[in-house]
């Protein structure tokens, strides 16, 4: 039997026993996968410079997997995204997006789009796109692909075009208008009308056009506060890399 190959984005790497490494990676066909890179600590040739988080690689997998665990035979580096690693804000935004892409338990028909969307975000960040604007936009797109994109078009309570003052209901996953805010399911977060328009547009635009959007600091902060609580509601916890992003965003 010959080995199988898959495009992959490395999510996490850790030591496994004396000689091996355990690698979590995202694939277009099956989403997040775990694999053992045997003797990766000694034999650097088969995995030269490949086993770093956020690298785009091609993995050669052993013909047989053991349950959910793949065996990595070798790897080829496709893109290490070197520029985004030189800027901690871009690196932090990339880490948050990669973690979310790995956490989405998406239907199998969405895995290819999730992979392509994360890959595009990494390419844009590597090419110099502003992480402040890219992060909220791509978080929304990944959430949508994962099956729980927020609803922006109409009030989640009355179904009408929402008029200010606007709120975002975390449990209802979308915008709520002022009159409905008394009966909407809490927690509610304030939603500035400008932020509402920006987020609505960010979720509608095709991903390759998202670099056109600008999120100045107040809009960015409100957007990310909403998205962070929304994701916590769905994932049951905060993304681990979110605190890294917050440190970098403040610095
Ligand atoms: Zn309403």
């Amino acid at each position: 039997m010959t080995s199988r190959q898959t495009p992959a984005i490395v999510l996490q790497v850790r030591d496994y026993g004396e000689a091996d490494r355990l690698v979590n990676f995202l694939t277009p066909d099956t989403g997040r996968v775990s694999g053992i890179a045997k003797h990766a600590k000694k034999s650097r040739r088969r995995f030269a410079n490949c086993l770093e988080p956020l690298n785009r690689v091609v993995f050669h997998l052993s013909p047989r997997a053991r349950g959910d665990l793949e065996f990595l035979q070798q790897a080829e580096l496709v893109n290490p995204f070197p520029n985004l690693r030189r800027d901690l804000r871009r690196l932090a935004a990339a880490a948050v997006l990669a973690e979310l892409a790995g956490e989405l338990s998406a239907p199998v028909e969405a895995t290819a789009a999730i992979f392509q969307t994360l890959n595009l975000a990494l390419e844009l960040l590597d090419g110099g796109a502003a992480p402040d604007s890219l992060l909220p936009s791509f978080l929304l797109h990944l959430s949508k692909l994962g099956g729980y994109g927020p609803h922006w078009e109409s009030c989640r309570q009355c179904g009408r075009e929402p008029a200010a003052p606007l709120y975002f209901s975390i449990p209802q996953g979308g915008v709520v208008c002022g009159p409905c805010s008394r009966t909407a399911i809490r927690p509610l977060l304030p939603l500035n009308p400008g932020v509402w328009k920006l987020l609505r547009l960010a979720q509608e635009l095709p991903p390759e056009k998202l670099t056109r959007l600008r999120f100045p600091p107040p809009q960015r902060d409100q957007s990310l506060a909403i998205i962070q609580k929304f994701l916590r509601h769905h994932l049951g916890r905060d993304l681990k890399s979110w605190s890294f992003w917050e440190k970098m965003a403040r610095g």
Side-chain angles (χ1 to χ4, degrees), residues 2-246:
T2 52
S3 71
R4 296 163 291 139
Q5 292 183 20
T6 179
I9 295 170
V10 178
L11 299 175
Q12 264 187 333
V13 183
R14 58 176 197 265
D15 289 346
Y16 191 80
E18 289 290 304
D20 307 338
R21 291 216 148 102
L22 179 65
V23 187
N24 271 300
F25 53 99
L26 195 71
T27 67
D29 289 340
T30 45
R32 186 173 61 181
V33 177
S34 294
I36 300 282
K38 293 292 260 180
H39 307 295
K41 285 200 228 169
K42 274 191 193 150
S43 157
R44 296 186 187 279
R45 201 155 41 92
R46 287 182 300 131
F47 299 104
N49 303 318
C50 288
L51 302 184
E52 285 292 327
L54 304 177
N55 274 356
R56 171 79 194 270
V57 299
V58 171
F59 279 134
H60 297 240
L61 309 173
S62 159
R64 287 177 196 283
R66 189 196 295 159
D68 289 339
L69 201 58
E70 296 282 356
F71 288 92
L72 310 180
Q73 294 183 324
Q74 66 180 82
E76 289 149 32
L77 189 59
V78 176
N79 192 344
F81 304 110
N83 299 319
L84 80 79
R85 291 172 202 279
R86 292 191 196 107
D87 179 314
L88 286 175
R89 290 162 62 84
R90 284 194 256 161
L91 182 62
V96 172
L97 291 168
E99 188 181 345
L100 178 60
E103 286 300 316
L104 296 170
S105 48
V108 69
E109 58 271 20
T111 55
I114 289 170
F115 182 88
Q116 296 306 339
T117 302
L118 177 62
N119 187 58
L120 176 64
L122 298 179
E123 282 176 355
L124 292 172
L125 286 167
D126 196 55
D132 287 20
S133 302
L134 210 90
L135 182 59
S137 306
F138 274 87
L139 286 172
L140 289 181
H141 271 269
L142 288 171
S143 308
K144 185 167 76 175
L145 291 169
Y148 47 82
H151 298 267
W152 304 107
E153 296 74 22
S154 55
C155 170
R156 297 296 278 161
Q157 284 283 101
C158 67
R160 297 199 196 104
E161 172 90 358
L166 303 178
Y167 298 88
F168 187 92
S169 163
I170 300 293
Q172 288 173 283
V175 63
V176 168
C177 69
C180 291
S181 64
R182 281 173 287 124
T183 51
I185 305 172
R186 285 166 163 65
L188 299 180
L189 296 177
L191 179 60
N192 175 286
V195 173
W196 171 60
K197 280 187 192 142
L198 203 48
L199 291 174
R200 186 178 175 173
L201 195 58
Q203 200 167 307
E204 278 169 8
L205 280 176
E208 55 278 9
K209 292 189 177 162
L210 290 175
T211 50
R212 293 179 187 176
L213 298 180
R214 290 281 168 274
F215 285 69
Q219 281 83 339
R220 173 202 70 190
D221 290 346
Q222 190 175 80
S223 299
L224 290 176
I226 289 172
I227 295 170
Q228 182 188 22
K229 290 185 179 67
F230 176 73
L231 291 177
R232 186 190 292 157
H233 178 79
H234 281 281
L235 300 173
R237 59 170 184 82
D238 274 323
L239 293 169
K240 291 188 195 93
S241 35
W242 202 283
S243 57
F244 174 37
W245 160 259
E246 287 195 326

